[in-house]
């Protein structure tokens, strides 16, 4: 295998992946920090390096609408957005999933106003979790590039046929340069076959999608089918990760990735770029003698419930770090985790730490100190006193 | 160009099937049939929320022989741009038509319409103008005329009708026309001219609605014709910005040849609260629309 390493920001890694995936229609509206993805794709197209059509629309709502129109008419299509842009396209997010149109969208995660704030948290991305899209996080720029290509493959798999979105943290990934291996076009072509989709609009073929159902039960069945396909996607995700690893030597574990879990008694659970800091924290805590492991949630939809349960059964405690919050309740990753673990009879005390909201910096020292006091509390009292903690340094 | 096509040359294939759920006397049903006669199998329809969402039938039944992409209210032109982009990339022949009501055109969908027009995307936008939000129960829109009753303007609308065809003309798109369900051949000929032009095409189809305007369902075509004969609705066509009044409206450039507007409003229940003073105001608004339009001829 030929290795071509370039120094790429997360956003450029997305653009390269879109080019390698031979996307035919791209449509987007500028918003910080997503903008450089589409700038780079425009440069590829205008310099003749990429054969695609760009539709420069007047809003994010129209961006996803255009991508939906193109994808439902037979081509691979892509868009990207952040924060308010994602909020503005929300109804099209639902519509695309309901219509079962494979699409890939990159979300450069950014705080939602008011007040205005361009730094990363996961509120925008996590607010999409009921829509029916495949939803995954990337930890670093190589994973960004690899995952965008994988997401096209998963989304277009007949067992799935659903759109998918990938989150990369604003600035931490989007504007930070890392060495990234660019796979050969022929490798990507062999991994990602030609476009597949459940139906295609064509002249002279009078099909319709989305008209009123005479029986709401049919509509409920459609929604159930979205759910079942997301559950079925778990197998596809694992297969795809395995195949990618055969081709490139890089595996991310599919749905979750475990670090130092095999003998761990306590677990850190998180998603996104700060998983890198969590790795550092684990190393530090291990050197101090704490039996800590890390579970990285790569996919949050489908939610890897059984996968988590399998790793955590017999553990003594876990902390879920959320970079967003369902105000009035708790962090969304925590809520999913405790609900499924409880139902699967995994009796492990789980604490939620809400941190890094609005882009507040969180270091591996912060993570380690929270984990230390949690472990000490469990060891001394056996229970967690403050199970949803807002962490400020 | 009138007389270019005779009714015998039009395809007999029905694109809107009998037994569809439209109201009796529905103008949208007429319009959809004419669209099929004009453009036939080449059409891919993009339909935002509106009466046509219902007219196409309840799944698994389907009353149309067009492919239909159903889409959320404010997204139609952008979806159509995407469909057209895909067909261009794939090299497939298709006429992408947005079939949108006054809400999806002039109000909630206006930004996306303007965006697609400014980009010159290769689609036809047809505004089927029944002058209120009929599908949600007759609420006023920006295309409801002055003085008309709706369920959100119980004493008559106090504002005038937005002039969308002229706004689209100012987008400098290659084709803008108005049409009426009362003049099918004029509409069909306009569609057939529009389809030959690459870029963004806008056709505004006047669609008198018996349910919302409160008139007898047998009178749809008569009301549509009266709108033209009284000058309330002007048929015109603009190719590359050159405005020409269409033959059915030509005589009414001369104000004295127009029928009294009172004839048009008295057969509709929606103007029942209109006072004489308001009628005068409505008349002067009609004169004003003519004055503005003829400046471009
Ligand atoms: S309300 Fe008017 S436009 Fe709508 S279906 Fe009935 S007649 Fe047709």
């Amino acid at each position: 295998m030929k290795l071509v390493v370039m120094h790429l920001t997360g956003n450029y890694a997305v653009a390269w992946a879109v080019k390698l995936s031979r996307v035919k229609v791209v449509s987007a509206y500028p918003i910080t920090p997503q903008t450089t993805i589409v700038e780079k794709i425009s440069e590829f197209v205008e310099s003749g390096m990429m054969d695609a059509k760009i539709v420069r629309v007047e809003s994010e709502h129209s961006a996803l609408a255009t991508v939906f129109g193109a994808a439902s008419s037979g081509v691979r299509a892509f868009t990207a957005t952040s924060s308010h842009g994602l909020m503005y396209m929300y109804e099209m997010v639902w519509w695309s999933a309901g219509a079962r149109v494979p699409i890939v969208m990159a979300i450069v995660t950014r705080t939602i106003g008011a007040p205005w704030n361009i730094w990363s948290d996961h509120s925008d991305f996590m607010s999409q979790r009921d829509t029916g899209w495949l939803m995954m996080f990337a930890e670093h720029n190589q994973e960004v590039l690899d995952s965008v290509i994988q997401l096209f493959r998963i989304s277009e798999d007949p067992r799935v046929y659903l759109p998918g979105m990938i989150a990369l943290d604003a600035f931490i990934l989007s504007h930070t340069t890392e060495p990234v291996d660019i796979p050969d076009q022929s490798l990507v072509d062999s991994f990602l076959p030609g476009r597949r989709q459940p139906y295609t609009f064509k002249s002279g073929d009078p099909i319709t999608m989305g008209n009123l159902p005479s029986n709401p039960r049919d509509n409920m069945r459609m929604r159930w089918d979205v759910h079942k396909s997301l559950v079925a996607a778990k197998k596809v995700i694992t297969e795809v990760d395995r195949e990618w690893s055969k081709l490139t030597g890089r595996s991310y574990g599919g749905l979750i990735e475990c670090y130092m879990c095999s003998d761990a008694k306590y677990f850190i659970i998180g998603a996104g770029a700060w998983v890198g800091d969590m790795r550092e924290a684990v190393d530090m805590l291990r050197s101090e003698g704490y039996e800590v492991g890390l579970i990285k949630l790569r996919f949050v939809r489908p939610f890897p419930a059984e996968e988590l349960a399998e790793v955590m059964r017999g553990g003594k405690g876990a902390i879920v770090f959320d970079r967003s919050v369902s105000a009035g309740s708790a962090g969304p990753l925590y809520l999913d985790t405790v609900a499924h673990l409880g139902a699967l009879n995994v009796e492990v005390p789980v604490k939620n730490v809400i941190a890094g909201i609005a882009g507040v910096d969180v270091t591996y020292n912060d993570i380690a100190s929270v984990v230390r006091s949690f472990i000490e509390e469990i060891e001394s009292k056996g229970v967690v006193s403050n199970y949803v903690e807002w962490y400020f340094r | 160009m009138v007389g270019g096509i005779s009714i015998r040359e039009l395809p007999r294939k029905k694109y809107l099937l009998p037994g569809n759920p439209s109201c009796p006397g529905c103008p949208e049903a007429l319009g959809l049939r004419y669209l099929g006669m004009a453009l036939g199998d080449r059409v891919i329809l993009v339909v935002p929320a509106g009466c046509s969402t219902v007219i196409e039938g309840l799944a698994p039944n389907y009353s149309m022989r067009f492919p239909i992409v159903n889409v959320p209210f404010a997204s139609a032109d952008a979806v159509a741009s995407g469909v057209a982009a895909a067909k261009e990339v794939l090299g497939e022949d298709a006429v992408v038509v947005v079939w949108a009501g006054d809400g999806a055109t002039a109000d909630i969908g206006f930004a996306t319409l303007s965006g697609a027009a400014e980009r010159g995307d290769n689609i036809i936008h047809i505004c089927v103008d029944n002058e209120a939000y009929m599908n949600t129960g007759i609420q006023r829109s920006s295309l409801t005329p002055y003085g008309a009753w709706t369920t959100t303007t119980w004493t008559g609308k106090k504002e005038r009708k937005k002039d969308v065809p002229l706004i689209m003309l100012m987008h400098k798109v290659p084709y803008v026309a108005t049409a009426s369900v009362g003049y099918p051949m004029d509409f069909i000929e306009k569609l057939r001219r529009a389809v030959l032009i690459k870029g963004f095409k806008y056709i505004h189809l006047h669609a008198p609605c018996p349910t919302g305007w409160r008139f007898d369902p047998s009178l749809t075509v008569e009301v549509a014709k009266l709108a033209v004969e009284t000058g309330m609705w002007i048929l015109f066509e603009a190719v590359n910005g050159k405005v020409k009044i269409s033959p059915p409206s030509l005589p009414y450039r001369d104000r004295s040849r127009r029928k009294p507007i009172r004839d048009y409003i008295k057969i509709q229940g929606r103007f029942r609260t209109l006072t004489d003073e308001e009628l005068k105001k409505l008349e002067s608004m009609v004169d004003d629309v003519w004055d503005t339009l003829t400046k471009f001829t």
Side-chain angles (χ1 to χ4, degrees):
Chain A
M1 193 185 67
K2 198 171 81 206
L3 201 62
V4 182
V5 176
M6 286 178 76
H7 286 88
L8 296 182
T9 62
N11 279 357
Y12 283 6
V14 172
W16 272 95
V18 168
K19 175 181 175 301
L20 286 164
S21 302
R22 297 193 187 277
V23 167
K24 290 295 173 217
V25 173
V26 175
S27 181
Y29 189 76
I31 183 168
T32 303
Q34 163 269 127
T35 333
T36 57
I37 296 177
V38 194
E39 286 174 3
K40 193 70 190 171
I41 294 174
S42 302
E43 195 185 314
F44 285 149
V45 172
E46 287 182 23
S47 66
M49 283 172 74
M50 181 177 167
D51 177 23
K53 208 174 145 56
I54 301 180
V55 187
R56 297 167 183 86
V57 285
E58 76 295 338
S59 75
E60 287 88 357
H61 193 280
S62 287
L64 189 51
T66 299
V67 161
F68 167 78
S72 62
S73 300
V75 300
R76 204 165 274 157
F78 170 83
T79 188
T81 191
S82 295
S83 184
H84 289 264
L86 183 57
M87 300 299 107
Y88 194 45
M89 62 167 66
Y90 189 50
E91 69 167 335
M92 290 309 304
V93 177
W94 279 84
W95 196 266
S96 311
R100 308 304 298 260
V101 178
I103 289 168
V104 170
M105 167 156 72
I107 307 298
V108 185
T109 61
R110 169 186 152 177
T111 306
I112 306 170
W116 287 119
N117 180 331
I118 58 170
W119 308 116
S120 182
D121 72 26
H122 298 157
S123 314
D124 51 359
F125 189 72
M126 291 310 295
S127 69
Q128 309 299 309
R129 63 195 188 278
D130 297 341
T131 56
W133 283 54
L134 297 150
M135 295 175 65
M136 70 181 302
F137 278 94
E139 181 189 344
H140 49 74
N141 294 349
Q142 183 71 61
E143 190 179 8
V144 168
L145 181 131
D146 293 347
S147 299
V148 169
I149 298 168
Q150 290 180 10
L151 203 46
F152 274 111
R153 166 81 182 267
I154 299 161
S155 159
E156 293 175 13
D157 189 294
R159 292 167 287 178
V160 181
Y161 279 156
L162 282 170
M165 56 176 86
I166 174 166
L168 56 151
D169 284 77
F171 303 106
I172 305 166
L173 297 189
S174 72
H175 288 63
T176 305
T177 302
E178 287 182 327
V180 174
D181 165 38
I182 312 270
D184 200 62
Q185 183 68 60
S186 61
L187 181 151
V188 178
D189 288 345
S190 73
F191 172 78
L192 187 60
R195 173 76 176 169
R196 288 188 292 183
Q197 58 189 85
Y199 58 88
T200 305
F201 291 111
K202 280 191 203 83
S203 293
D205 180 11
I207 61 164
T208 183
M209 186 290 308
N211 56 332
L212 296 158
S214 51
N215 186 345
R217 285 174 68 91
D218 294 339
N219 200 158
M220 183 165 167
R221 282 222 167 79
M222 286 169 75
R223 195 67 190 146
W224 188 29
D225 201 60
V226 167
H227 172 75
K228 285 194 290 187
S229 299
L230 276 172
V231 174
K234 287 186 173 188
K235 187 158 177 273
V236 181
I237 290 163
T238 313
E239 285 170 16
V240 162
D241 184 71
R242 216 173 286 141
E243 192 180 327
W244 187 253
S245 125
K246 265 192 214 128
L247 291 168
T248 65
R250 291 188 294 271
S251 165
Y252 303 100
L255 290 147
I256 60 172
E257 188 186 347
C258 292
Y259 179 63
M260 313 278 271
C261 286
S262 55
D263 64 340
K265 299 273 180 296
Y266 293 94
F267 300 94
I268 301 174
I269 299 171
W274 64 355
V275 168
D277 301 287
M278 292 169 188
R279 283 181 202 274
E280 299 283 338
V282 167
D283 289 348
M284 201 160 124
L285 291 163
R286 282 273 174 177
S287 73
E288 295 165 17
Y290 293 98
E291 293 167 301
V292 179
L294 165 68
I295 305 172
K296 157 172 148 182
L297 299 174
R298 195 163 168 252
F299 275 80
V300 294
R301 289 292 180 273
F303 190 76
E306 290 82 5
E307 292 73 9
L308 272 179
E310 200 187 307
V311 180
M312 288 170 66
R313 208 179 285 283
K316 291 168 79 176
I319 300 193
V320 180
F321 282 84
D322 266 293
R323 208 163 186 152
S324 66
V325 66
S326 177
S329 180
L333 295 177
Y334 169 77
L335 293 171
D336 271 332
T337 304
V338 290
H340 288 287
L341 289 184
L344 294 167
N345 297 316
V346 180
E347 280 160 25
V348 175
V350 186
K351 181 185 170 89
N352 190 195
V353 173
I354 315 280
I357 302 286
V360 168
D361 203 21
V362 179
T363 66
Y364 58 84
N365 279 318
D366 296 320
I367 294 164
S369 80
V370 169
V371 175
R372 257 185 233 110
S373 20
F374 170 69
I375 295 175
E376 272 145 33
E377 193 180 10
I378 295 278
E379 298 278 341
S380 61
K381 300 193 194 125
V383 285
V384 208
S385 50
N386 181 15
Y387 68 91
V388 181
E389 179 188 335
W390 284 70
Y391 177 79
F392 291 91
R393 196 187 310 158
Chain B
M1 289 290 272
V2 160
I5 312 166
S6 98
I7 199 149
R8 272 184 292 276
E9 294 165 40
L10 296 173
R12 299 183 71 88
K13 177 170 168 182
K14 285 193 171 74
Y15 285 86
L16 175 65
L17 301 176
N20 69 71
S22 61
C23 310
C26 174
E28 296 215 11
L30 295 177
L32 285 164
R33 275 153 59 186
Y34 305 150
L35 177 68
M37 289 175 180
L39 305 178
D41 278 348
R42 297 177 66 199
V43 171
I44 298 176
L45 263 192
V46 178
V47 176
C51 286
S52 299
T53 314
V54 179
I55 296 171
E56 71 188 79
L58 301 183
N61 299 318
Y62 188 46
S63 71
M64 305 250 198
R65 286 210 181 106
F66 300 114
I68 292 191
V69 192
N70 286 286
V71 297
F73 217 173
S75 69
D77 292 85
V79 172
S81 297
V83 176
K87 293 306 166 195
E88 190 190 314
V89 166
L90 294 167
E92 287 175 21
D93 176 60
V95 178
V96 184
V97 177
V98 173
W99 181 266
D102 39 319
T105 298
D107 298 337
I108 193 170
F110 190 67
T112 174
L113 164 67
S114 176
E118 182 271 335
R119 291 189 300 273
D121 291 340
N122 192 25
I123 62 178
I124 302 176
H125 181 109
I126 301 174
C127 170
V128 201
D129 183 7
N130 54 18
E131 301 191 328
Y133 303 144
M134 295 312 175
N135 195 40
T136 44
I138 327 174
Q139 293 85 21
R140 65 86 87 182
S141 78
S142 67
L143 297 193
T144 303
Y146 174 77
W149 161 91
T150 67
T151 56
T152 49
T153 55
W154 291 91
T155 55
K157 189 186 166 191
K158 301 289 180 274
E159 303 79 24
R160 59 190 295 163
K161 184 179 172 86
K162 192 196 273 186
D163 199 337
V164 181
L166 280 193
I167 297 171
M168 296 321 291
L169 193 68
M170 290 304 104
H171 281 67
K172 310 287 178 187
V173 294
Y175 191 85
V176 175
T178 55
S180 161
V181 296
Y183 298 84
M185 294 311 275
D186 175 73
F187 178 42
I188 290 169
E189 282 166 10
K190 283 170 174 166
L191 282 166
R192 288 199 170 175
R193 273 195 291 280
V195 82
L196 299 175
I197 298 169
K198 197 169 154 53
F200 190 89
K201 286 84 62 177
Y202 180 81
I203 301 178
H204 197 117
L205 180 69
H206 197 233
C209 157
T211 308
W213 298 15
R214 299 297 196 235
F215 62 78
D216 188 279
S218 66
L219 298 178
T220 305
V221 169
E222 202 174 321
V223 173
K225 288 197 149 148
L226 265 174
V228 170
E229 289 160 359
T230 54
M232 282 284 291
W233 186 245
I234 311 170
L235 296 174
F236 78 88
E237 183 178 50
V239 181
N240 293 321
K242 270 190 62 114
V243 176
K244 269 194 189 150
I245 306 293
S246 303
S249 278
L250 264 183
Y252 312 113
R253 278 188 88 134
D254 177 355
R255 196 178 188 281
S256 67
R257 296 179 68 178
R258 293 180 207 156
K259 288 189 177 164
I261 286 175
R262 195 180 287 279
D263 290 1
Y264 176 64
I265 64 169
K266 74 173 185 236
I267 57 167
Q268 302 175 46
R270 65 173 172 160
F271 288 110
R272 64 181 174 268
T273 61
L274 202 77
T275 62
D276 284 350
E277 201 186 319
E278 285 170 331
L279 176 59
K280 279 213 183 70
K281 204 165 158 190
L282 182 62
E283 284 166 349
S284 81
M285 284 172 183
V286 171
D287 290 341
D288 183 51
V289 172
W290 274 95
D291 285 349
T292 313
L293 181 67
T294 47
K295 283 193 186 109
F296 293 100
T297 55

